[in-house]
Amino acid sequence: MNPHHGELLKDIRKKGGKPVHDPFLQNYLGNPHPIYKVKSADLRKIARSWIAGHRDMPAGKFVHVIQSLVQGKSCTEKLMAGLLLDTSRKSQREFDPAWLDRWLNHLVGWVEVDTLCTGRYPETEVPRQWGKFTRILNRLAKSDNINKRRASLVLLCSPLRKAADPRLLGQALKTVRRLSPEKDVLITKAVSWVLRSAAVHHPGEVRKYVTLNREDLPSIAVRETLTKISTGKKTKRKKT
């Protein structure tokens, strides 16, 4: 265990006591890892406090903290890795994104994958390191690991919502075409999410793509995306 991982784990234990197995919650989160019962807001406070105290840690050392956390036994430690990435300083994000492929070997289910792959890190670094990320995204989309295939979609969501970059739209639609035949909810919901994210800046292109390819897309993606474009929300409000 990395010493900084140990520091963070002590803070987690102060808030959450001992880790527990909660079958209902673990089923919802999509992984079998034990959980520290710590509120999300408290986990974010721990992450922000740690980053504030390690502002000068270079990217070369920062990646090993993340590596140690994703290899932790609990879901909570793995989530902390994503929260640190989200609150990290710009200089700490200047590492080779190939690390993501290694980190995803240790993550299972939507909450662990999404916490690592959304937020400020992909929002800033996917466009900035575009050449490297296109190679990684394509590799993840072809992986035998369904968690990596989900990541190939989810990594694009934050950047797509942030900027009207046609490169992001093209990569998103390319990955959607590859993965849309899959039926697992881990993929179908990610397809819906990335299309809705793309529609923020490219509503016309996304509407056209979904309309022309609706027979090949997951039904949830068609329904939620078209509703989002029309109403601003992914589901229609029920009449009372």
Side-chain angles (χ1 to χ4, degrees):
M1 180 185 293
N2 182 284
H4 297 290
H5 177 177
E7 293 173 10
L8 288 158
L9 187 54
K10 285 182 181 179
D11 290 337
I12 290 170
R13 286 171 172 166
K14 285 179 184 177
K15 289 288 186 180
K18 295 182 179 180
V20 299
H21 284 278
D22 183 330
F24 177 80
L25 185 56
Q26 287 168 306
N27 181 64
Y28 169 68
L29 298 178
N31 69 74
H33 305 135
I35 303 161
Y36 288 90
K37 292 295 184 75
V38 184
K39 295 179 180 178
S40 297
D42 287 332
L43 284 179
R44 290 192 174 276
K45 286 180 181 178
I46 292 171
R48 288 196 297 268
S49 177
W50 188 89
I51 289 292
H54 298 81
R55 296 168 61 87
D56 297 326
M57 178 179 284
K61 290 186 177 181
F62 184 63
V63 292
H64 291 290
V65 180
I66 303 299
Q67 176 71 18
S68 184
L69 285 165
V70 297
Q71 291 180 285
K73 294 181 180 179
S74 72
C75 176
T76 312
E77 291 162 87
K78 298 172 190 292
L79 296 182
M80 182 55 67
L83 296 178
L84 289 185
L85 274 183
D86 191 41
T87 54
S88 60
R89 292 169 59 82
K90 180 180 178 181
S91 60
Q92 292 170 329
R93 300 179 208 136
E94 294 178 349
F95 55 82
D96 188 336
W99 277 95
L100 285 164
D101 200 352
R102 304 177 207 177
W103 296 338
L104 286 161
N105 288 325
H106 306 284
L107 304 183
V108 178
W110 68 269
V111 74
E112 293 181 0
V113 172
D114 294 4
T115 304
L116 185 78
C117 296
T118 58
R120 193 175 301 172
Y121 172 73
E123 182 181 280
T124 60
E125 296 307 311
V126 171
R128 191 180 74 83
Q129 301 190 61
W130 182 248
K132 292 180 178 179
F133 262 102
T134 52
R135 292 192 292 272
I136 292 165
L137 291 167
N138 291 333
R139 184 164 70 246
L140 294 177
K142 298 173 184 177
S143 174
D144 292 335
N145 182 337
I146 192 172
N147 298 289
K148 291 187 177 186
R149 298 199 301 277
R150 180 179 175 93
S152 71
L153 292 162
V154 174
L155 278 163
L156 292 164
C157 289
S158 295
L160 280 165
R161 292 194 300 272
K162 179 70 174 180
D165 188 334
R167 300 175 302 174
L168 296 170
L169 176 64
Q171 181 68 33
L173 296 183
K174 174 184 175 180
T175 309
V176 165
R177 280 192 293 271
R178 182 176 187 87
L179 299 181
S180 58
E182 297 196 32
K183 304 302 181 184
D184 194 292
V185 68
L186 206 61
I187 300 300
T188 59
K189 287 196 172 183
V191 168
S192 176
W193 190 8
V194 79
L195 288 173
R196 285 182 281 115
S197 297
V200 171
H201 292 289
H202 308 278
E205 294 96 322
V206 174
R207 183 192 291 275
K208 180 178 179 180
Y209 178 84
V210 171
T211 301
L212 291 175
N213 296 277
R214 63 186 309 145
E215 297 302 320
D216 300 318
L217 290 166
S219 57
I220 188 173
V222 174
R223 181 175 66 253
E224 291 185 347
T225 303
L226 293 180
T227 300
K228 176 73 174 179
I229 293 171
S230 298
T231 69
K233 298 181 179 181
K234 69 177 181 178
T235 55
K236 292 182 180 179
R237 181 180 296 177
K238 293 182 179 179
K239 295 181 179 180
T240 58

